[in-house]
Short mmCIF file of all heavy atoms in Angstrom, two decimals:
data_model
loop_
_atom_site.label_atom_id
_atom_site.label_comp_id
_atom_site.label_asym_id
_atom_site.label_seq_id
_atom_site.Cartn_x
_atom_site.Cartn_y
_atom_site.Cartn_z
N ILE A 1325 -13.09 -17.50 29.12
CA ILE A 1325 -14.43 -16.99 29.03
C ILE A 1325 -14.63 -15.77 29.91
O ILE A 1325 -15.22 -14.75 29.51
CB ILE A 1325 -15.47 -18.11 29.38
CG1 ILE A 1325 -15.39 -19.21 28.37
CG2 ILE A 1325 -16.83 -17.45 29.46
CD1 ILE A 1325 -16.22 -20.46 28.75
N ASP A 1326 -14.14 -15.84 31.15
CA ASP A 1326 -14.34 -14.76 32.09
C ASP A 1326 -13.54 -13.49 31.68
O ASP A 1326 -14.01 -12.38 31.95
CB ASP A 1326 -13.81 -15.14 33.44
CG ASP A 1326 -14.77 -16.31 34.08
OD1 ASP A 1326 -15.89 -16.34 33.64
OD2 ASP A 1326 -14.23 -17.00 34.97
N ASN A 1327 -12.53 -13.63 30.87
CA ASN A 1327 -11.74 -12.43 30.43
C ASN A 1327 -12.09 -12.02 29.05
O ASN A 1327 -11.40 -11.17 28.45
CB ASN A 1327 -10.25 -12.80 30.49
CG ASN A 1327 -9.79 -12.71 31.96
OD1 ASN A 1327 -9.45 -11.73 32.56
ND2 ASN A 1327 -9.75 -13.99 32.59
N GLY A 1328 -13.14 -12.59 28.47
CA GLY A 1328 -13.57 -12.16 27.21
C GLY A 1328 -12.92 -12.64 25.99
O GLY A 1328 -13.11 -12.20 24.82
N VAL A 1329 -11.92 -13.54 26.12
CA VAL A 1329 -11.20 -14.09 24.98
C VAL A 1329 -12.13 -15.06 24.24
O VAL A 1329 -12.17 -15.08 22.97
CB VAL A 1329 -9.95 -14.83 25.45
CG1 VAL A 1329 -9.24 -15.45 24.23
CG2 VAL A 1329 -9.02 -13.94 26.16
N LEU A 1330 -12.90 -15.86 24.98
CA LEU A 1330 -13.86 -16.76 24.36
C LEU A 1330 -15.27 -16.24 24.59
O LEU A 1330 -15.59 -15.80 25.68
CB LEU A 1330 -13.80 -18.16 24.94
CG LEU A 1330 -12.52 -19.02 24.46
CD1 LEU A 1330 -12.52 -20.26 25.25
CD2 LEU A 1330 -12.52 -19.25 23.06
N HIS A 1331 -16.12 -16.18 23.57
CA HIS A 1331 -17.46 -15.63 23.70
C HIS A 1331 -18.51 -16.82 23.58
O HIS A 1331 -18.40 -17.70 22.71
CB HIS A 1331 -17.74 -14.66 22.60
CG HIS A 1331 -16.87 -13.49 22.62
ND1 HIS A 1331 -17.39 -12.12 23.02
CD2 HIS A 1331 -15.57 -13.21 22.45
CE1 HIS A 1331 -16.42 -11.30 23.00
NE2 HIS A 1331 -15.33 -11.95 22.67
N LEU A 1332 -19.42 -16.89 24.51
CA LEU A 1332 -20.38 -17.93 24.55
C LEU A 1332 -21.41 -17.67 23.50
O LEU A 1332 -22.08 -16.60 23.47
CB LEU A 1332 -20.98 -18.07 25.95
CG LEU A 1332 -20.08 -18.34 27.07
CD1 LEU A 1332 -20.78 -18.33 28.41
CD2 LEU A 1332 -19.49 -19.77 26.89
N THR A 1333 -21.64 -18.61 22.54
CA THR A 1333 -22.54 -18.44 21.50
C THR A 1333 -23.61 -19.50 21.66
O THR A 1333 -23.39 -20.56 22.10
CB THR A 1333 -21.90 -18.52 20.12
OG1 THR A 1333 -21.44 -19.88 19.92
CG2 THR A 1333 -20.81 -17.56 19.98
N GLU A 1334 -24.91 -19.21 21.14
CA GLU A 1334 -26.03 -20.13 21.24
C GLU A 1334 -25.64 -21.42 20.58
O GLU A 1334 -26.03 -22.50 21.09
CB GLU A 1334 -27.27 -19.44 20.75
CG GLU A 1334 -28.50 -20.32 20.83
CD GLU A 1334 -29.73 -19.66 20.28
OE1 GLU A 1334 -29.65 -18.44 20.04
OE2 GLU A 1334 -30.71 -20.38 20.11
N THR A 1335 -25.10 -21.34 19.34
CA THR A 1335 -24.86 -22.52 18.60
C THR A 1335 -23.97 -23.47 19.26
O THR A 1335 -24.27 -24.74 19.38
CB THR A 1335 -24.25 -22.08 17.10
OG1 THR A 1335 -25.17 -21.18 16.48
CG2 THR A 1335 -24.01 -23.36 16.33
N CYS A 1336 -22.84 -22.98 19.77
CA CYS A 1336 -21.89 -23.82 20.35
C CYS A 1336 -22.40 -24.46 21.76
O CYS A 1336 -22.24 -25.58 22.08
CB CYS A 1336 -20.53 -23.16 20.64
SG CYS A 1336 -19.21 -24.22 21.15
N VAL A 1337 -22.99 -23.51 22.63
CA VAL A 1337 -23.49 -23.90 23.88
C VAL A 1337 -24.59 -25.02 23.72
O VAL A 1337 -24.62 -26.02 24.47
CB VAL A 1337 -23.94 -22.75 24.78
CG1 VAL A 1337 -24.58 -23.24 26.05
CG2 VAL A 1337 -22.73 -21.86 25.00
N ARG A 1338 -25.53 -24.81 22.80
CA ARG A 1338 -26.61 -25.77 22.63
C ARG A 1338 -26.04 -27.09 22.22
O ARG A 1338 -26.49 -28.12 22.78
CB ARG A 1338 -27.54 -25.14 21.47
CG ARG A 1338 -28.71 -26.11 21.21
CD ARG A 1338 -29.43 -25.63 20.06
NE ARG A 1338 -30.09 -24.30 20.31
CZ ARG A 1338 -30.76 -23.58 19.42
NH1 ARG A 1338 -30.92 -24.08 18.22
NH2 ARG A 1338 -31.24 -22.42 19.73
N LYS A 1339 -25.10 -27.13 21.30
CA LYS A 1339 -24.53 -28.47 20.85
C LYS A 1339 -23.73 -29.02 22.04
O LYS A 1339 -23.76 -30.28 22.27
CB LYS A 1339 -23.56 -28.16 19.68
CG LYS A 1339 -23.05 -29.50 19.09
CD LYS A 1339 -22.44 -29.25 17.74
CE LYS A 1339 -21.99 -30.52 17.13
NZ LYS A 1339 -23.08 -31.53 16.88
N LEU A 1340 -23.11 -28.22 22.86
CA LEU A 1340 -22.42 -28.74 23.98
C LEU A 1340 -23.29 -29.42 24.98
O LEU A 1340 -23.06 -30.60 25.52
CB LEU A 1340 -21.65 -27.54 24.70
CG LEU A 1340 -20.67 -27.92 25.88
CD1 LEU A 1340 -19.42 -28.58 25.41
CD2 LEU A 1340 -20.39 -26.64 26.67
N LEU A 1341 -24.41 -28.80 25.29
CA LEU A 1341 -25.41 -29.41 26.27
C LEU A 1341 -26.08 -30.57 25.66
O LEU A 1341 -26.34 -31.50 26.52
CB LEU A 1341 -26.47 -28.30 26.58
CG LEU A 1341 -25.95 -27.03 27.33
CD1 LEU A 1341 -27.04 -26.03 27.56
CD2 LEU A 1341 -25.22 -27.35 28.62
N LYS A 1342 -26.36 -30.61 24.41
CA LYS A 1342 -27.00 -31.73 23.85
C LYS A 1342 -26.14 -32.94 23.63
O LYS A 1342 -26.63 -34.17 23.78
CB LYS A 1342 -27.68 -31.33 22.54
CG LYS A 1342 -28.86 -30.33 22.62
CD LYS A 1342 -29.33 -29.85 21.29
CE LYS A 1342 -29.95 -30.97 20.51
NZ LYS A 1342 -30.49 -30.46 19.20
N ASP A 1343 -24.89 -32.74 23.15
CA ASP A 1343 -24.01 -33.86 22.74
C ASP A 1343 -23.30 -34.48 23.86
O ASP A 1343 -22.99 -35.70 23.83
CB ASP A 1343 -23.09 -33.40 21.67
CG ASP A 1343 -23.76 -33.01 20.37
OD1 ASP A 1343 -24.98 -33.13 20.29
OD2 ASP A 1343 -23.09 -32.62 19.43
N LEU A 1344 -22.90 -33.71 24.87
CA LEU A 1344 -22.08 -34.38 25.95
C LEU A 1344 -23.00 -35.12 26.95
O LEU A 1344 -24.10 -34.64 27.30
CB LEU A 1344 -21.35 -33.26 26.72
CG LEU A 1344 -20.04 -32.81 26.03
CD1 LEU A 1344 -19.46 -31.68 26.94
CD2 LEU A 1344 -19.06 -33.91 25.71
N ASP A 1345 -22.53 -36.35 27.32
CA ASP A 1345 -23.31 -37.08 28.34
C ASP A 1345 -23.05 -36.40 29.72
O ASP A 1345 -22.26 -35.62 29.87
CB ASP A 1345 -23.05 -38.56 28.29
CG ASP A 1345 -21.53 -38.82 28.47
OD1 ASP A 1345 -20.79 -37.89 28.93
OD2 ASP A 1345 -21.02 -39.92 28.19
N ASP A 1346 -23.75 -36.93 30.71
CA ASP A 1346 -23.73 -36.38 32.04
C ASP A 1346 -22.81 -37.11 32.97
O ASP A 1346 -23.21 -37.57 34.03
CB ASP A 1346 -25.15 -36.24 32.66
CG ASP A 1346 -26.01 -35.18 31.97
OD1 ASP A 1346 -25.39 -34.15 31.50
OD2 ASP A 1346 -27.19 -35.38 31.83
N THR A 1347 -21.60 -37.28 32.54
CA THR A 1347 -20.58 -37.86 33.50
C THR A 1347 -20.22 -36.70 34.46
O THR A 1347 -20.54 -35.53 34.21
CB THR A 1347 -19.32 -38.26 32.70
OG1 THR A 1347 -18.76 -37.15 32.07
CG2 THR A 1347 -19.64 -39.33 31.70
N GLU A 1348 -19.56 -37.08 35.45
CA GLU A 1348 -19.16 -36.07 36.56
C GLU A 1348 -18.32 -34.89 35.95
O GLU A 1348 -18.53 -33.75 36.18
CB GLU A 1348 -18.39 -36.75 37.60
CG GLU A 1348 -18.04 -35.71 38.80
CD GLU A 1348 -17.36 -36.53 39.92
OE1 GLU A 1348 -17.20 -37.68 39.87
OE2 GLU A 1348 -16.83 -35.71 40.80
N LYS A 1349 -17.45 -35.27 34.99
CA LYS A 1349 -16.57 -34.27 34.38
C LYS A 1349 -17.42 -33.37 33.47
O LYS A 1349 -17.24 -32.09 33.39
CB LYS A 1349 -15.43 -34.91 33.59
CG LYS A 1349 -14.47 -34.04 32.89
CD LYS A 1349 -13.43 -34.75 32.12
CE LYS A 1349 -12.47 -33.81 31.50
NZ LYS A 1349 -11.41 -34.60 30.66
N ASN A 1350 -18.25 -33.96 32.64
CA ASN A 1350 -19.02 -33.17 31.76
C ASN A 1350 -20.12 -32.37 32.52
O ASN A 1350 -20.45 -31.23 32.02
CB ASN A 1350 -19.75 -34.10 30.72
CG ASN A 1350 -18.78 -34.71 29.76
OD1 ASN A 1350 -17.78 -34.23 29.61
ND2 ASN A 1350 -19.18 -35.80 29.08
N GLU A 1351 -20.62 -32.87 33.59
CA GLU A 1351 -21.56 -32.13 34.41
C GLU A 1351 -20.83 -30.79 34.92
O GLU A 1351 -21.43 -29.69 34.91
CB GLU A 1351 -22.09 -32.89 35.57
CG GLU A 1351 -23.16 -33.87 35.30
CD GLU A 1351 -23.66 -34.58 36.54
OE1 GLU A 1351 -23.10 -34.34 37.67
OE2 GLU A 1351 -24.59 -35.39 36.42
N LYS A 1352 -19.61 -30.92 35.31
CA LYS A 1352 -18.90 -29.82 35.85
C LYS A 1352 -18.67 -28.79 34.75
O LYS A 1352 -18.91 -27.54 34.93
CB LYS A 1352 -17.54 -30.25 36.41
CG LYS A 1352 -16.76 -29.21 37.14
CD LYS A 1352 -15.57 -29.77 37.73
CE LYS A 1352 -14.70 -28.73 38.53
NZ LYS A 1352 -13.50 -29.27 39.21
N LEU A 1353 -18.35 -29.26 33.57
CA LEU A 1353 -18.17 -28.38 32.38
C LEU A 1353 -19.48 -27.65 32.08
O LEU A 1353 -19.48 -26.46 31.93
CB LEU A 1353 -17.68 -29.23 31.21
CG LEU A 1353 -17.62 -28.50 29.86
CD1 LEU A 1353 -16.71 -27.26 29.90
CD2 LEU A 1353 -17.26 -29.39 28.74
N LYS A 1354 -20.57 -28.47 31.97
CA LYS A 1354 -21.83 -27.87 31.55
C LYS A 1354 -22.34 -26.86 32.65
O LYS A 1354 -22.86 -25.73 32.25
CB LYS A 1354 -22.88 -28.91 31.33
CG LYS A 1354 -22.67 -29.85 30.24
CD LYS A 1354 -23.78 -30.90 30.10
CE LYS A 1354 -23.67 -31.81 28.92
NZ LYS A 1354 -24.78 -32.71 28.75
N PHE A 1355 -22.22 -27.20 33.90
CA PHE A 1355 -22.56 -26.31 34.90
C PHE A 1355 -21.78 -25.01 34.89
O PHE A 1355 -22.38 -23.93 34.98
CB PHE A 1355 -22.47 -27.03 36.29
CG PHE A 1355 -22.85 -26.14 37.43
CD1 PHE A 1355 -24.23 -25.84 37.76
CD2 PHE A 1355 -21.90 -25.53 38.26
CE1 PHE A 1355 -24.62 -25.08 38.77
CE2 PHE A 1355 -22.25 -24.71 39.37
CZ PHE A 1355 -23.59 -24.51 39.59
N SER A 1356 -20.51 -25.07 34.68
CA SER A 1356 -19.67 -23.91 34.59
C SER A 1356 -20.02 -22.98 33.44
O SER A 1356 -20.00 -21.78 33.57
CB SER A 1356 -18.19 -24.31 34.48
OG SER A 1356 -17.82 -25.12 35.62
N ILE A 1357 -20.41 -23.68 32.34
CA ILE A 1357 -20.81 -22.94 31.10
C ILE A 1357 -22.16 -22.21 31.41
O ILE A 1357 -22.38 -21.04 31.16
CB ILE A 1357 -20.90 -23.79 29.88
CG1 ILE A 1357 -19.44 -24.21 29.49
CG2 ILE A 1357 -21.47 -23.04 28.76
CD1 ILE A 1357 -18.47 -23.22 29.04
N VAL A 1358 -23.13 -23.03 31.90
CA VAL A 1358 -24.42 -22.48 32.03
C VAL A 1358 -24.55 -21.35 33.03
O VAL A 1358 -25.24 -20.42 32.89
CB VAL A 1358 -25.46 -23.68 32.45
CG1 VAL A 1358 -26.71 -23.13 32.97
CG2 VAL A 1358 -25.62 -24.65 31.35
N THR A 1359 -23.76 -21.42 34.05
CA THR A 1359 -23.75 -20.32 35.13
C THR A 1359 -23.14 -19.03 34.52
O THR A 1359 -23.42 -18.00 35.11
CB THR A 1359 -23.01 -20.75 36.35
OG1 THR A 1359 -21.66 -21.12 35.94
CG2 THR A 1359 -23.62 -21.88 37.11
N ARG A 1360 -22.39 -19.12 33.45
CA ARG A 1360 -21.80 -17.93 32.87
C ARG A 1360 -22.64 -17.31 31.74
O ARG A 1360 -22.17 -16.33 31.10
CB ARG A 1360 -20.39 -18.25 32.43
CG ARG A 1360 -19.41 -18.40 33.54
CD ARG A 1360 -18.06 -19.03 33.09
NE ARG A 1360 -17.09 -18.89 34.12
CZ ARG A 1360 -16.99 -19.68 35.21
NH1 ARG A 1360 -17.84 -20.64 35.39
NH2 ARG A 1360 -16.00 -19.46 36.09
N LEU A 1361 -23.77 -17.96 31.37
CA LEU A 1361 -24.50 -17.46 30.23
C LEU A 1361 -25.23 -16.16 30.56
O LEU A 1361 -25.77 -16.03 31.66
CB LEU A 1361 -25.52 -18.52 29.86
CG LEU A 1361 -25.03 -19.82 29.19
CD1 LEU A 1361 -26.17 -20.83 29.00
CD2 LEU A 1361 -24.27 -19.57 27.87
#
Side-chain angles (χ1 to χ4, degrees):
I1325 294 172
D1326 293 339
N1327 286 276
V1329 178
L1330 290 173
H1331 295 251
L1332 298 175
T1333 66
E1334 180 179 350
T1335 303
C1336 189
V1337 174
R1338 180 185 298 175
K1339 187 167 182 62
L1340 185 75
L1341 295 178
K1342 290 173 66 176
D1343 291 0
L1344 282 181
D1345 58 17
D1346 289 327
T1347 63
E1348 183 178 353
K1349 181 179 179 181
N1350 289 342
E1351 282 183 358
K1352 189 175 182 181
L1353 170 62
K1354 291 182 179 181
F1355 179 76
S1356 301
I1357 294 292
V1358 167
T1359 55
R1360 285 168 168 79
L1361 291 175

